Amino acid sequence: MAENFEPHHILVTGAAGFIGSNFAHYVAREHPEVHVTVLDKLTYAGNIHNLDGIPEGQMDFVHGDICDAELLDRIVPGCDAIVHYAAESHNDNSIADPEPFVQTNVVGTFRLLEAARKYDVRYHHISTDEVYGDLALDDPERFHEGSPYKPSSPYSSSKAASDHLVRAWARTYGLRATISNCSNNYGPYQHVEKFIPRQITNVLCGIRPKLYGDGKNVRDWIHTEDHSSAVWTILTKGEIGETYLIGADGEKSNIDVLRLILAHMGKAADDFDWVRDRPGHDRRYAIDSTKLRTELGWAPKHTDFESGLDATIAWYRENEDWWRPVKEATEAKYAKQGQ
């Protein structure tokens, strides 16, 4: 077991986005002695208001790009850890235009690794289970830390490349680094382009939800607060150079999730439209988080998916001012793609 690491000042990249902002709130709430510097480019997926409520003295916000080496030279010194969430992450966007994914996810990670090496800062890398490709629907297997990499989209291949960079910097340069690969997150502050908030906000807007392909694709869902607690556990207790998979045993098919949303929002089970499948649509993701649970003692708290979904629906009902400004443009983009 590694000695516990006690950070005092962490740089969190991409913390104006969905899972990054939830992590910043988690640290502020659970570890008020820790100062957070947020670095975010504020692309369409970032919203500075996602950080509202974090005490002013506990957080600094820097508007900038992780690819900017000079900027990193100014803000990394004085931090004792980098937690790297910043990423282009939407599969459909990566298929339409892969270049930003390579730039942010590969080049940006390289810049952060070099800064962490230069200033001897601990580094935790947030990745995805999508680097492992997909599993057959009838396969009893789940992804684990030794699963081979088989990314299938420009997004997942760019994240796979960044994972390999982290391992190389840890082995070659002795960088104090850890990696986590997580399953699909849900919860507050998620952009309306993503599956669960898109369906919820469609219902709230009186638009019929849409479902890709046959709807049998399986995702392994985890509440974003459980992801945050797992990342903190790995950052403070994880073994240097190790990878940990984060999951909460939440496998559900897309059609089952959609029907749960419809039921919880008072709609009929068939009140949606089928649309053509997206290219290379992964069939099933499933995470085996045994290593994280047994070696570091982590466990998820949000194990009842339906109650977590209810709370998420309630959040989108109560925060229309947050998502309505981007809803119309998001749906217009999908309509152009026939989705």
Side-chain angles (χ1 to χ4, degrees), residues 242-255:
E242 290 296 308
T243 295
Y244 299 88
L245 265 62
I246 303 173
D249 303 323
E251 281 189 68
K252 295 222 172 350
S253 71
N254 287 349
I255 192 165

Side-chain angles (χ1 to χ4, degrees), residues 130-153:
E130 295 187 41
V131 299
Y132 302 113
D134 63 349
L135 300 161
L137 294 180
D138 58 356
D139 189 343
E141 283 299 308
R142 295 187 290 168
F143 299 136
H144 54 84
E145 286 78 6
S147 295
Y149 274 45
K150 294 190 292 186
S152 55
S153 71

Side-chain angles (χ1 to χ4, degrees), residues 33 38 54 59 62 64 76 90 103 106 120 122-123 142 146 166 207 275 282 289 303 329 331:
E33 74 285 359
V38 170
I54 295 177
M59 185 193 78
V62 178
V76 171
H90 196 262
Q103 186 64 23
V106 182
D120 189 26
R122 185 149 174 166
Y123 176 94
R142 295 187 290 168
V166 177
I207 302 168
V275 294
D282 286 343
S289 57
T303 52
E331 289 306 314

